[in-house]
Coordinates of all heavy atoms in Angstrom, one line a residue:
G1 N -21.5 8.7 5.3 CA -22.8 8.1 5.7 C -22.8 6.7 5.1 O -21.9 5.9 5.2
P2 N -23.9 6.4 4.4 CA -24.1 5.0 3.8 C -23.3 4.9 2.5 O -23.2 3.8 1.9 CB -25.6 4.9 3.6 CG -26.0 6.3 3.3 CD -25.2 7.2 4.3
H3 N -22.8 6.0 1.9 CA -22.1 6.0 0.6 C -20.7 5.6 0.7 O -20.0 6.1 1.7 CB -22.3 7.3 -0.1 CG -23.7 7.8 -0.2 ND1 -24.6 7.2 -1.0 CD2 -24.4 8.7 0.5 CE1 -25.8 7.7 -0.9 NE2 -25.7 8.7 0.1
R4 N -20.2 4.9 -0.2 CA -18.8 4.4 -0.2 C -18.1 4.8 -1.5 O -18.7 4.8 -2.6 CB -18.7 2.9 -0.1 CG -19.3 2.3 1.2 CD -18.4 2.6 2.4 NE -19.0 2.1 3.6 CZ -19.7 2.8 4.5 NH1 -19.9 4.0 4.3 NH2 -20.2 2.3 5.6
L5 N -16.8 5.1 -1.4 CA -15.9 5.4 -2.5 C -14.7 4.5 -2.4 O -13.9 4.7 -1.5 CB -15.6 6.9 -2.6 CG -14.8 7.4 -3.8 CD1 -15.6 7.2 -5.1 CD2 -14.5 8.9 -3.6
R6 N -14.6 3.5 -3.2 CA -13.5 2.5 -3.0 C -12.2 3.0 -3.6 O -12.2 3.7 -4.7 CB -13.9 1.2 -3.7 CG -15.1 0.5 -3.0 CD -15.5 -0.8 -3.7 NE -15.9 -0.5 -5.1 CZ -15.5 -1.3 -6.1 NH1 -14.7 -2.3 -5.9 NH2 -15.9 -1.0 -7.3
Y7 N -11.1 2.6 -3.0 CA -9.8 3.0 -3.4 C -8.8 1.9 -3.0 O -9.1 1.1 -2.2 CB -9.4 4.4 -2.9 CG -9.1 4.3 -1.4 CD1 -7.8 4.2 -0.9 CD2 -10.1 4.4 -0.5 CE1 -7.6 4.1 0.5 CE2 -9.9 4.4 0.9 CZ -8.6 4.3 1.4 OH -8.4 4.2 2.7
Q8 N -7.6 2.0 -3.6 CA -6.5 1.1 -3.3 C -5.2 1.9 -3.2 O -5.1 2.9 -3.8 CB -6.4 0.1 -4.5 CG -7.6 -0.8 -4.6 CD -7.5 -1.6 -5.9 OE1 -7.1 -1.2 -6.9 NE2 -8.1 -2.8 -5.9
L9 N -4.2 1.3 -2.5 CA -2.9 1.9 -2.4 C -1.8 0.9 -2.8 O -1.9 -0.2 -2.4 CB -2.7 2.4 -0.9 CG -3.7 3.5 -0.4 CD1 -3.5 3.7 1.1 CD2 -3.5 4.7 -1.2
F10 N -0.8 1.4 -3.5 CA 0.2 0.6 -4.1 C 1.6 1.1 -3.8 O 1.7 2.3 -3.6 CB 0.0 0.4 -5.6 CG -1.3 -0.2 -6.0 CD1 -2.4 0.6 -6.2 CD2 -1.4 -1.6 -6.1 CE1 -3.6 0.0 -6.6 CE2 -2.6 -2.2 -6.4 CZ -3.8 -1.4 -6.7
L11 N 2.6 0.3 -4.0 CA 4.0 0.7 -3.8 C 4.7 0.9 -5.1 O 5.9 1.3 -5.1 CB 4.8 -0.4 -3.0 CG 4.3 -0.6 -1.5 CD1 5.0 -1.7 -0.9 CD2 4.4 0.7 -0.8
D12 N 4.1 0.7 -6.2 CA 4.7 0.8 -7.5 C 3.8 1.6 -8.5 O 2.6 1.6 -8.4 CB 5.1 -0.6 -8.1 CG 3.8 -1.4 -8.4 OD1 2.9 -1.4 -7.6 OD2 3.7 -2.0 -9.5
P13 N 4.5 2.3 -9.5 CA 3.7 3.1 -10.4 C 2.7 2.3 -11.3 O 1.7 2.8 -11.8 CB 4.7 3.8 -11.2 CG 6.0 3.3 -10.9 CD 5.9 2.4 -9.6
A14 N 3.1 1.0 -11.5 CA 2.2 0.1 -12.4 C 1.0 -0.4 -11.6 O 0.1 -1.0 -12.1 CB 3.0 -1.1 -12.9
K15 N 1.0 -0.1 -10.3 CA -0.1 -0.5 -9.4 C -0.3 -2.0 -9.4 O -1.4 -2.5 -9.4 CB -1.4 0.3 -9.7 CG -1.1 1.8 -9.4 CD -2.2 2.6 -10.0 CE -1.7 4.1 -9.9 NZ -0.7 4.4 -10.9
M16 N 0.8 -2.7 -9.3 CA 0.7 -4.2 -9.2 C 1.1 -4.7 -7.8 O 0.8 -5.9 -7.5 CB 1.7 -4.8 -10.2 CG 1.5 -4.3 -11.7 SD -0.1 -5.0 -12.3 CE 0.3 -6.7 -12.5
I17 N 1.7 -3.9 -7.0 CA 2.1 -4.3 -5.6 C 1.3 -3.6 -4.6 O 1.6 -2.4 -4.3 CB 3.7 -4.1 -5.4 CG1 4.5 -4.7 -6.5 CG2 4.1 -4.5 -4.0 CD1 5.9 -4.3 -6.5
P18 N 0.3 -4.2 -4.0 CA -0.5 -3.6 -3.0 C 0.2 -3.3 -1.7 O 1.0 -4.2 -1.3 CB -1.7 -4.5 -2.8 CG -1.6 -5.6 -3.8 CD -0.2 -5.6 -4.4
W19 N 0.1 -2.1 -1.2 CA 0.7 -1.8 0.1 C -0.2 -2.3 1.2 O -1.4 -2.2 1.2 CB 0.8 -0.3 0.2 CG 1.6 0.2 1.4 CD1 2.5 -0.5 2.2 CD2 1.5 1.5 2.0 NE1 3.0 0.3 3.2 CE2 2.4 1.5 3.1 CE3 0.8 2.6 1.7 CZ2 2.5 2.6 3.9 CZ3 0.9 3.7 2.5 CH2 1.8 3.7 3.6
G20 N 0.4 -3.0 2.2 CA -0.4 -3.6 3.2 C 0.5 -4.0 4.4 O 1.5 -3.4 4.7
D21 N 0.2 -5.1 5.0 CA 0.9 -5.6 6.2 C 1.9 -6.7 5.9 O 2.5 -7.3 6.8 CB 0.0 -6.0 7.3 CG -0.9 -7.1 7.0 OD1 -0.8 -7.7 5.8 OD2 -1.8 -7.5 7.8
G22 N 2.0 -7.1 4.6 CA 2.9 -8.2 4.2 C 2.2 -9.5 4.1 O 2.8 -10.5 3.7
S23 N 0.9 -9.6 4.5 CA 0.2 -10.8 4.3 C -0.4 -10.9 3.0 O -0.6 -9.9 2.3 CB -0.9 -11.0 5.4 OG -1.8 -10.0 5.3
G24 N -0.7 -12.1 2.5 CA -1.3 -12.3 1.2 C -0.5 -11.7 0.1 O 0.7 -11.9 0.1
A25 N -1.1 -11.0 -0.8 CA -0.4 -10.4 -1.9 C 0.2 -9.0 -1.5 O 0.8 -8.4 -2.4 CB -1.3 -10.2 -3.1
T26 N 0.0 -8.6 -0.3 CA 0.5 -7.2 0.1 C 2.0 -7.2 0.4 O 2.5 -8.2 0.8 CB -0.3 -6.6 1.2 OG1 0.0 -7.3 2.4 CG2 -1.8 -6.7 0.9
R27 N 2.6 -6.0 0.3 CA 4.0 -5.8 0.7 C 4.1 -4.7 1.6 O 3.2 -3.8 1.7 CB 4.8 -5.5 -0.6 CG 4.8 -6.6 -1.6 CD 5.7 -7.8 -1.2 NE 5.8 -8.8 -2.2 CZ 5.0 -9.8 -2.4 NH1 4.0 -10.0 -1.7 NH2 5.3 -10.7 -3.4
T28 N 5.2 -4.6 2.3 CA 5.5 -3.5 3.2 C 6.7 -2.7 2.6 O 7.3 -3.2 1.6 CB 5.9 -4.0 4.6 OG1 7.1 -4.8 4.5 CG2 4.8 -4.8 5.3
I29 N 6.9 -1.5 3.1 CA 8.1 -0.7 2.7 C 9.3 -1.1 3.6 O 9.2 -1.1 4.8 CB 7.8 0.8 2.8 CG1 6.6 1.2 1.9 CG2 9.1 1.6 2.5 CD1 6.2 2.6 2.2
S30 N 10.4 -1.5 3.0 CA 11.6 -1.9 3.7 C 12.4 -0.6 4.1 O 12.5 0.2 3.2 CB 12.5 -2.8 2.9 OG 11.8 -4.1 2.7
V31 N 12.8 -0.6 5.3 CA 13.6 0.5 5.8 C 15.0 0.0 6.2 O 15.1 -1.0 6.9 CB 12.9 1.2 7.0 CG1 13.8 2.3 7.6 CG2 11.6 1.7 6.7
S32 N 16.0 0.7 5.7 CA 17.4 0.2 6.1 C 18.3 1.4 5.9 O 18.2 2.2 5.0 CB 17.8 -0.9 5.1 OG 19.1 -1.3 5.4
G33 N 19.2 1.6 6.9 CA 20.2 2.7 6.9 C 20.9 2.8 8.2 O 20.6 2.1 9.2
V34 N 21.8 3.8 8.2 CA 22.6 4.1 9.4 C 22.3 5.5 9.8 O 22.2 6.4 9.0 CB 24.1 3.9 9.1 CG1 24.9 4.3 10.3 CG2 24.4 2.5 8.7
V35 N 22.2 5.7 11.1 CA 21.9 7.0 11.7 C 23.0 7.3 12.8 O 23.4 6.4 13.5 CB 20.5 7.1 12.2 CG1 20.2 6.2 13.4 CG2 20.1 8.5 12.7
G36 N 23.4 8.6 12.8 CA 24.3 9.0 13.8 C 23.9 10.4 14.4 O 23.0 11.0 13.9
A37 N 24.6 10.9 15.4 CA 24.3 12.1 16.0 C 24.3 13.3 15.0 O 23.4 14.2 15.2 CB 25.2 12.4 17.2

């Protein structure tokens, strides 16, 4: 309803790298690898 509970999400245990869309101070998770049948 009108009540809010604020939170944040991070990519590191020190909570210094905010998870986001890569803009500003946020970072994304990089994906890299090879896939086969």
